[in-house]
Amino acid sequence: MATKPSGLPDRIQHYIGGSFADSIGKETFEVLEPTTNTPYITCASGQQADVDAAVAAAKKAFDEGPWPRMLPRERARVLYRIADEVAAINDELAAIESFDSGLPIRQAKGQANRAAENFRFFADLIVAQVDDAFKMPGRQINYVNRKPKGVAGLITPWNTPFMQESWKLAPALASGCTVVLKPAEFTPVSAQLWAGIMERAGVPEGVFNVVHGFGESAGDALVKHPDVQLVSFTGELGTGKIIYANCAQNMKHMSMELGGKSPAVIFADADFEAALDSTLFGVFSLNGERCTASSRILVERPIYDRFVEAYAERAKRIVVGDPSNPDTEIGALVHPEHYAKVCEYIEIGKGEARLVAGGGRPADLPEGNYVEATVFADVAPDARIFQEEIFGPVVAITPFDTDEEAIELANNVEYGLAAYVWTSNVARAHNVAHAIESGMVWINSHNVRDLRTPFGGVKGSGLGHEGGYRSLDFYSVQQSIHVTLGDVHTTRFGATGYAENDLGLGGPSA
Ligand code: NAD
């Protein structure tokens, strides 16, 4: 087992109403370290009673506390302090995240800064926020009264867990909601850091709460809790479907960021080396455990053989190893269950396509969740490794002959999260991008985020779009207020005689 990062608590607890707490019934589970799968820390396992306590704390803070009532500028100051606190623990967080999730340390290093930026970004947005006001001259003034929705349930996955948590916490808190966070059970450790960050930044008691535990118990209780007004979920499509059905019982607002099987479409006129670098990084960074991974590469026939050969050569040289080693490019997959799933897909792939790099556990790493960078070529569109999300360092490469065929292949899956188009033909780049069914497209680039743009998928990749003001809209009610300026014109029911033209029920629209 790698050396445990310093400063870890002796156990992971819930954080409810400003205090750490074990589960009321004392339930716990063991967290594994992915390079040896040794249990290394015990985590509280939340049940209904723990979720009830956390939601009650969040509801009290929402109904009675200062947070939803603060001026945007006051909340923004607190969010800025959260960002500073997050940035200050960059090294500590990177060590914890790398140890707990198997992420290579160099890639874990940027996570705190990205998380901090999320808080700064939403702090700036709420201060600059404008809402609509409309005038019907001399008759009515109408405006939007924006207010926080209430207690938000935030359910997050295990890939880059702290960063994913920040992506929900920042807009939820910025909007004035109070929250109950349910982190992923594979990687609960970094979520323990939030409590201290929130306290030092001056977030009032009860505004931020965490309940750890399994999806089927803690997550399910949170989704179904009647006092939780909205649910923001990131995770697998199958889980998303269950949560969607459960939210329907109480007509909850929800936002879903789900899986992907994102295509990179590379035309013969593309910058070959740039496309090669970018698609290698796109699927093998973050251990391939990346929702927007370019896990299907579609290559135009004239450059297909050259591309496959060059791609496989580079993939074979990718360094797989101990996540704490700065030279490591692919660390250990998060958990033995996930490792087994990825290995099963590799075996399926061997029967479906041509293996040109990798194909299993590296010979020099006999234990832990290690997988070589694995490349399949000549993958048919109906192959399972073409259709299904593997969420590991495995890529499927497929040739195409025409723009139409490229678009058809790109769209031929149930997901629609991201896409990447590589070409030097400007018109083709836009036309292909427009025709691809995905929430986001990068042209001649891998995934570089602009926090102002919509983030989210179509088809099986999600519901709703977050990012920029869209996130604030999700966490806010936008109540329309209509005020009469002059005499109110009312059709006089029950009074004698009114003219036909008095029956204009809504009146003129402007
Ligand atoms: P998962 O669906 O197994 O779990 C996600 C979270 O949901 C966990 O906290 C889990 O405990 C909880 N959960 C599970 N069952 C639940 C239930 N019945 N009710 C309530 N909560 C429940 O996903 P994962 O394996 O942790 O994460 C990987 C998946 O997340 C991949 O599919 C990946 O593509 C996706 N993802 C998507 C994005 C995006 O932005 N679109 C980002 C990151 C990850």
Side-chain angles (χ1 to χ4, degrees), residues 155-159 164 182-185 213-216 219-220 223 233-237 239 242-243 246 257-260 290-291 389 391 417 455 461:
I155 301 181
T156 49
W158 47 258
N159 63 321
Q164 296 277 350
K182 208 300 280 170
E185 57 269 37
F214 293 96
E216 300 71 18
D220 187 68
V223 167
F233 168 73
T234 300
E236 287 182 358
L237 170 58
T239 316
I242 295 170
I243 292 179
N246 289 337
E257 303 289 1
L258 307 175
R290 176 177 196 139
C291 55
E389 185 185 46
F391 216 57
L417 188 57
F455 185 96
S461 288

Side-chain angles (χ1 to χ4, degrees), residues 393-460:
V394 183
V395 69
I397 312 185
T398 301
F400 70 86
D401 289 298
T402 63
D403 294 26
E404 293 69 30
E405 191 191 355
I407 292 163
E408 196 184 310
L409 286 169
N411 292 341
N412 176 25
V413 292
E414 70 176 327
Y415 294 104
L417 188 57
Y420 307 85
V421 179
W422 288 88
T423 174
S424 53
N425 177 330
V426 175
R428 169 189 268 165
H430 288 279
N431 288 327
V432 171
H434 294 181
I436 290 180
E437 295 162 353
S438 70
M440 298 165 283
V441 181
W442 277 269
I443 295 174
N444 296 332
S445 171
H446 55 88
N447 171 347
V448 179
R449 279 279 289 135
D450 176 338
L451 294 179
R452 295 166 298 182
T453 58
F455 185 96
V458 298
K459 304 201 295 191

Side-chain angles (χ1 to χ4, degrees), residues 133-179:
F134 305 96
K135 186 174 72 168
M136 289 158 67
R139 299 186 185 187
Q140 229 182 28
I141 181 108
N142 306 317
Y143 65 91
V144 173
N145 174 38
R146 178 180 291 269
K147 43 188 186 175
K149 271 186 186 151
V151 176
L154 311 179
I155 301 181
T156 49
W158 47 258
N159 63 321
T160 58
F162 190 87
M163 211 289 293
Q164 296 277 350
E165 289 152 15
S166 76
W167 181 236
K168 296 191 189 303
L169 286 171
L173 295 177
S175 303
C177 288
T178 60
V179 307

Side-chain angles (χ1 to χ4, degrees), residues 192-480:
Q192 184 86 351
L193 299 171
W194 285 117
I197 291 167
M198 298 292 169
E199 283 176 13
R200 292 192 294 277
V203 174
E205 206 176 279
V207 170
F208 168 79
N209 305 275
V210 183
V211 176
H212 289 285
F214 293 96
E216 300 71 18
S217 41
D220 187 68
L222 185 59
V223 167
K224 291 179 180 164
H225 201 293
D227 289 334
V228 172
Q229 307 300 320
L230 67 163
V231 173
S232 178
F233 168 73
T234 300
E236 287 182 358
L237 170 58
T239 316
K241 288 178 182 173
I242 295 170
I243 292 179
Y244 195 176
N246 289 337
C247 282
Q249 301 309 314
N250 291 309
M251 289 298 288
K252 290 193 183 183
H253 295 237
M254 68 191 161
S255 167
M256 299 222 164
E257 303 289 1
L258 307 175
K261 193 74 182 176
S262 301
V265 183
I266 305 179
F267 288 93
D269 62 6
D271 178 335
F272 187 92
E273 291 301 323
L276 185 65
D277 287 345
S278 184
T279 48
L280 281 157
F281 179 79
V283 77
F284 296 123
S285 57
L286 308 181
N287 295 344
E289 298 163 331
R290 176 177 196 139
C291 55
T292 54
S294 50
S295 51
R296 293 182 299 142
I297 307 181
L298 312 176
V299 186
E300 202 174 12
R301 186 90 57 186
I303 59 162
Y304 181 74
D305 290 340
R306 183 177 153 225
F307 184 86
V308 169
E309 195 182 328
Y311 196 92
E313 276 316 303
R314 287 275 295 277
K316 285 176 194 164
R317 294 209 296 269
I318 289 177
V319 180
V320 183
D322 184 340
S324 66
N325 182 340
D327 293 332
T328 292
E329 292 173 306
I330 296 180
L333 301 192
V334 67
H335 191 273
E337 276 171 32
H338 184 58
Y339 175 76
K341 175 186 146 180
V342 172
C343 290
E344 194 183 327
Y345 272 111
I346 292 175
E347 293 312 310
I348 292 169
K350 288 175 184 170
E352 289 182 325
R354 178 163 62 100
L355 179 70
V356 293
R361 175 185 288 284
D364 59 334
L365 295 166
E367 63 169 357
N369 308 320
Y370 293 107
V371 179
E372 294 169 306
T374 297
V375 184
F376 288 102
D378 310 344
V379 182
D382 60 351
R384 284 186 63 191
I385 60 164
F386 188 95
Q387 292 289 332
E388 297 171 25
E389 185 185 46
I390 301 173
F391 216 57
V394 183
V395 69
I397 312 185
T398 301
F400 70 86
D401 289 298
T402 63
D403 294 26
E404 293 69 30
E405 191 191 355
I407 292 163
E408 196 184 310
L409 286 169
N411 292 341
N412 176 25
V413 292
E414 70 176 327
Y415 294 104
L417 188 57
Y420 307 85
V421 179
W422 288 88
T423 174
S424 53
N425 177 330
V426 175
R428 169 189 268 165
H430 288 279
N431 288 327
V432 171
H434 294 181
I436 290 180
E437 295 162 353
S438 70
M440 298 165 283
V441 181
W442 277 269
I443 295 174
N444 296 332
S445 171
H446 55 88
N447 171 347
V448 179
R449 279 279 289 135
D450 176 338
L451 294 179
R452 295 166 298 182
T453 58
F455 185 96
V458 298
K459 304 201 295 191
S461 288
L463 280 178
H465 282 68
E466 298 197 30
Y469 284 110
R470 291 161 198 82
S471 297
L472 298 182
D473 285 349
F474 173 67
Y475 292 103
S476 314
V477 177
Q478 294 173 66
Q479 180 185 41
S480 288

Side-chain angles (χ1 to χ4, degrees), residues 91-155:
D91 290 345
E92 183 190 349
L93 174 71
I96 289 177
E97 212 70 314
S98 174
F99 185 83
D100 191 35
S101 72
L103 201 63
I105 186 71
R106 271 175 67 182
Q107 296 170 41
K109 283 248 155 104
Q111 300 298 320
N113 285 333
R114 285 194 64 189
E117 272 316 296
N118 287 334
F119 284 94
R120 294 198 182 101
F121 174 76
F122 285 107
D124 291 344
L125 278 199
I126 54 169
V127 172
Q129 176 111 47
V130 281
D131 275 309
D132 292 330
F134 305 96
K135 186 174 72 168
M136 289 158 67
R139 299 186 185 187
Q140 229 182 28
I141 181 108
N142 306 317
Y143 65 91
V144 173
N145 174 38
R146 178 180 291 269
K147 43 188 186 175
K149 271 186 186 151
V151 176
L154 311 179
I155 301 181

